[in-house]
Amino acid sequence: MNVNVTVNGTAHSVDVEDRTLLVHLLRDYLDLTATNIGCDTTSCGACTVLLDGESVKSCTVLAASVDGQSVTTLEGLADGDRWHRVQEGFRTKHGLQCGFCTPGMVMAAVSLLEENPAPTAEEVRHGLEGNLCRCTGYHNIVAAVLEAAQGSVTR
Amino acid sequence: MIPAPFDYVRADSADAALAALGEHGDEAKLLAGGQSLLPLMKLRLAMPAVVVDVSRVAELSYVRADGDVLAIGAMTRHCDVARSADVATHAPLVAYAAGQVGDPQVRHRGTIGGSVAHSDPSADVPAALLAMGASYVVRGPGGTREVAAADFATGFLESVLAPDELLVEIRVPSARGEGWGYQKFTRRAIDWATVAVAVQARGGDTAVALANMGSTVVRAAATEAALANGAGAADAAQHADEGTEPSGDVTASAEFRRHLARVLTRRALAAAGSMNG
């Protein structure tokens, strides 16, 4: 079937099998491979992207279901050479170890800050419950998101 | 992992969904937010020939305070239920339970109607709705019927919904200003409840519903009876697992579930009582 979807601001029209998952549309049809497939069971959050601005797990959304909608992946986050404040926060606070969970963590954090621009550390931890870091590097991830939230206040 | 092949049908209205169900019969499966169904399809535990996607039926996404009844459209997402001012006012137990489902990503996709129709005994929202005495409006080819929450689930992932029927609305009698409590035990934050307990006070009576203490969500009848007979909360909670049939699995033995039901019921009753009606 044909799916019309805007990804990172660019309109695409893609022919996919009806059973194609959103994450495969992104990775295999559009070559946007920042979005990782981790557990593939709606648990780890590595495949998190924004659908019309809200975080979803792209391994658990049909590509067909997003026809007419907008998707943002990690590749679409920066404004030219200027990183998104959440990316900047992860860099400043070293919010990653192996980096596999990072794209999903960043996208989940962007959605979290959209809904709660000034979260407490506890609210960040709850807000990232859907994302697992197998390195257990949560401390710096929380610090990174708090750093990004502060940036939003001062800018 | 990808699902087995199927034909995808997008329904943009309740009528279109019913027409698709009528055409494809029990070959078809309704897809709401897909946060339970798609994982089952990826594991090939569900292999429908036709998937009828109702997730974007806009006419079924709403919250309306209608006198003493709160009406919630079946395709209202958990995140929208959790942050609705009307739900917070009339059914704070439901708002809280909706906020406990899965994780933020799941709540951005999953819907109240999908959760109810899926009839998972460990699900948060159906337990809350059972404690609130909700009812479910079901549309089929012959018209509309209303089913009490207590009569809806018939077994593990099974309900009274016929293959040609669509759950369209959840109706909740307002419990404005009444005490409530919700307690959930999980190994990890995102897990389904090992056991959960929903308590709703209403006009001097107290309803207690249990998640994952049997093949459906169930009322803690013995605890409710003890409370009605004047027992204190702590004593009544000791009866929470009576008449239930919890199973043992990798997360908990049946005995541990019984223990959890008693402890969580005590805590949920205390929370409800501390609100002082």
Side-chain angles (χ1 to χ4, degrees), chain B residues 65-121:
Chain B
D66 191 10
D68 289 335
V69 174
L70 186 73
I72 306 174
M75 287 303 98
T76 310
R77 300 177 306 164
H78 295 306
C79 61
D80 294 322
V81 172
R83 62 191 170 207
S84 160
D86 280 331
V87 181
T89 299
H90 296 283
L93 169 62
V94 175
Y96 183 82
Q100 300 301 302
V101 176
D103 54 52
Q105 292 96 316
V106 168
R107 296 193 290 273
H108 285 148
R109 291 294 295 172
T111 65
I112 187 169
S115 179
V116 167
H118 190 55
S119 290
D120 190 312

Side-chain angles (χ1 to χ4, degrees), chain A:
Chain A
M1 69 174 301
N2 186 258
V3 176
N4 293 298
V5 59
T6 298
V7 180
N8 300 332
T10 303
H12 295 275
S13 180
V14 190
D15 280 313
V16 299
E17 267 191 272
D18 288 15
R19 59 176 171 163
T20 304
L21 299 161
L22 175 57
V23 70
H24 295 300
L25 171 74
L26 297 171
R27 290 179 57 89
D28 301 343
Y29 290 79
L30 302 181
D31 289 330
L32 294 170
T33 52
T35 305
N36 285 328
I37 299 172
C39 69
D40 217 358
T41 58
T42 335
S43 299
C44 79
C47 66
T48 298
V49 300
L50 305 184
L51 179 59
D52 283 352
E54 294 175 318
S55 60
V56 300
K57 294 181 173 177
S58 61
C59 80
T60 312
V61 177
L62 290 177
S65 292
V66 307
D67 185 63
Q69 293 186 288
S70 291
V71 174
T72 306
T73 70
L74 188 73
E75 290 97 333
L77 213 51
D79 180 11
D81 291 337
R82 188 167 179 242
W83 281 2
H84 188 280
R85 58 191 167 92
V86 172
Q87 293 172 300
E88 196 63 49
F90 272 69
R91 187 189 71 82
T92 305
K93 293 296 180 184
H94 196 69
L96 67 156
Q97 291 183 33
C98 84
F100 189 86
C101 73
T102 310
M105 282 286 182
V106 169
M107 300 315 286
V110 170
S111 186
L112 166 67
L113 294 181
E114 194 65 36
E115 294 179 9
N116 183 359
T120 64
E122 188 178 354
E123 286 170 341
V124 171
R125 288 181 183 275
H126 282 298
L128 296 179
E129 278 174 355
N131 294 74
L132 302 179
C133 169
R134 202 54 286 168
C135 309
T136 70
Y138 296 103
H139 183 83
N140 282 6
I141 291 170
V142 173
V145 178
L146 291 171
E147 172 81 5
Q150 285 190 341
S152 74
V153 173
T154 54
R155 266 172 211 168

